[in-house]
Amino acid sequence: TSVEYLDLLNSPDTKFNNITVYYDGLNHYASFNIETQPPEQLPLTGEHIGCDINSNKNGWLVTSEGQNEFFDVDHDNQMIKHINRLMSKCRNMSRRWKKLEKRLQKWYNKRTNQLNDYIEKLTYNLVKKYDTIVFEENYSTIKILIGGEENMMFPLSRFIKRLKDKFQLYKPEADGVQFVKAHNTSRRCHHCGYINKELKVKTRNWKCRKCGKILDRDTNAAINILNRWFNGDSLK
C-alpha cells in the first residue's frame, strides 16, 4: 500500500461509505468506498488527439501523432499455457494438481493486475496531455490481441469509461472523449481527401494516387478521425 493512499485513508476529511471484502482464489482483499476532497484540477493544454483502435499486432491503439500502444503479457500467457499443460497430465485434485492450480491462479492474478495498472496509468497520462480524445463510434466491436492471443479481449469499454471518469474528475471543462463515424477513415488520404476503394485490410502502407503521399494505414485513420471532430462531425 502506498504512503499516499494510507494518508488519504487516515485523513480527517475522508468519509467511509462501505468496505467490500473479496477473494481472488488465493488472497482476501478489502475494497474501500470513500468520499474525500476532490483532486487538484489538471490545466487545459489546448491539445487534441485522434485514436485508431486496431486488431493487429502493430499496436492496439495508434494516435494521430503516430504513437503506437502495446500491452505485452506474452510471458504471462506462455506460463499459463505451460501450467495448464502440466495440470492436464495430473490426476484431478491430486496434491500436485492443487499446487499447480495455485501457481496458475497467481499468473492469472498477475496478468489482471498488470492490465488494470496499465489502463489506469495510460488513461491518466492521456487526460493530462490532451483536452480532447477522439475515437470511432464502433470501438466496442473490435477484438484486440493481447500478446498475440486471439482468445483474449482488451477491455475497451472499461478503457473508454476510465478516460471519461478521469476527464470528469480532473478536467471537467475539457471536451473529453468524443466519437465520430468510422466510414472510410482508413481509405481516405488525410492530405487531399482521395478515397482508395481498393485498399485491402492487410495493407499497412499505401500510396495516394492523387497526391503521391505514402500513408501508414493506422496513423492516417487516426488523423482522419481527429479531422472529423475538428470539422464538427462528432456524434452526440
Side-chain angles (χ1 to χ4, degrees):
T1 304
S2 68
V3 174
E4 292 83 0
Y5 186 65
L6 288 175
D7 289 342
L8 179 64
L9 294 180
N10 292 322
S11 170
D13 296 324
T14 298
K15 174 187 175 183
F16 285 82
N17 292 326
N18 59 69
I19 301 175
T20 303
V21 178
Y22 63 97
Y23 180 62
D24 68 356
L26 290 175
N27 303 296
H28 287 87
Y29 297 90
S31 175
F32 299 90
N33 183 297
I34 63 175
E35 292 181 20
T36 186
Q37 295 297 319
E40 184 177 351
Q41 301 292 287
L42 291 172
L44 297 176
T45 62
E47 298 291 330
H48 318 283
I49 197 169
C51 296
D52 182 44
I53 295 173
N54 302 286
S55 57
N56 58 66
K57 296 182 180 180
N58 296 324
W60 69 270
L61 181 144
V62 179
T63 74
S64 51
E65 296 179 352
Q67 301 166 332
N68 297 57
E69 275 296 327
F70 295 89
F71 179 69
D72 185 11
V73 286
D74 186 59
H75 177 65
D76 306 65
N77 291 335
Q78 294 305 318
M79 289 302 300
I80 289 171
K81 287 182 179 180
H82 174 66
I83 297 172
N84 273 315
R85 284 195 295 266
L86 293 177
M87 290 179 68
S88 67
K89 298 176 182 179
C90 298
R91 187 176 73 255
N92 191 35
M93 300 303 291
S94 66
R95 182 179 298 179
R96 177 165 170 74
W97 188 93
K98 290 180 179 179
K99 288 181 66 176
L100 289 170
E101 184 186 34
K102 287 186 177 181
R103 280 184 61 194
L104 182 64
Q105 189 62 52
K106 286 183 179 179
W107 281 104
Y108 276 128
N109 293 346
K110 179 185 175 185
R111 188 175 66 180
T112 299
N113 291 336
Q114 283 182 306
L115 178 59
N116 292 338
D117 186 60
Y118 172 76
I119 288 176
E120 290 303 313
K121 288 179 179 177
L122 177 60
T123 51
Y124 177 80
N125 289 333
L126 287 172
V127 170
K128 183 178 181 180
K129 186 173 182 180
Y130 302 102
D131 293 345
T132 314
I133 303 174
V134 191
F135 297 91
E136 291 179 333
E137 61 178 332
N138 68 342
Y139 73 91
S140 62
T141 65
I142 301 176
K143 294 182 179 180
I144 301 303
L145 305 182
I146 299 181
E149 293 293 310
E150 295 184 5
N151 62 336
M152 293 187 64
M153 295 289 290
F154 189 93
L156 290 173
S157 295
R158 177 150 62 92
F159 170 73
I160 298 293
K161 183 179 184 304
R162 293 305 293 147
L163 277 176
K164 291 180 177 179
D165 291 344
K166 284 183 170 62
F167 269 117
Q168 184 63 35
L169 193 62
Y170 296 108
K171 277 188 180 180
E173 296 181 0
D175 288 310
V177 177
Q178 299 288 324
F179 298 97
V180 297
K181 291 187 179 298
H183 186 61
N184 282 335
T185 53
S186 296
R187 295 181 175 184
R188 182 184 297 276
C189 171
H190 72 269
H191 287 278
C192 66
Y194 170 78
I195 298 177
N196 183 359
K197 296 182 179 180
E198 299 177 359
L199 184 65
K200 305 298 182 183
V201 174
K202 293 184 179 181
T203 303
R204 308 316 310 165
N205 295 280
W206 58 281
K207 183 177 181 179
C208 178
R209 294 183 179 179
K210 184 175 180 180
C211 68
K213 294 289 185 180
I214 304 296
L215 304 168
D216 174 89
R217 179 194 186 97
D218 301 327
T219 304
N220 178 66
I223 294 173
N224 282 325
I225 289 168
L226 180 60
N227 287 342
R228 285 187 181 179
W229 175 77
F230 272 125
N231 293 333
D233 296 335
S234 61
L235 303 171
K236 304 298 183 183

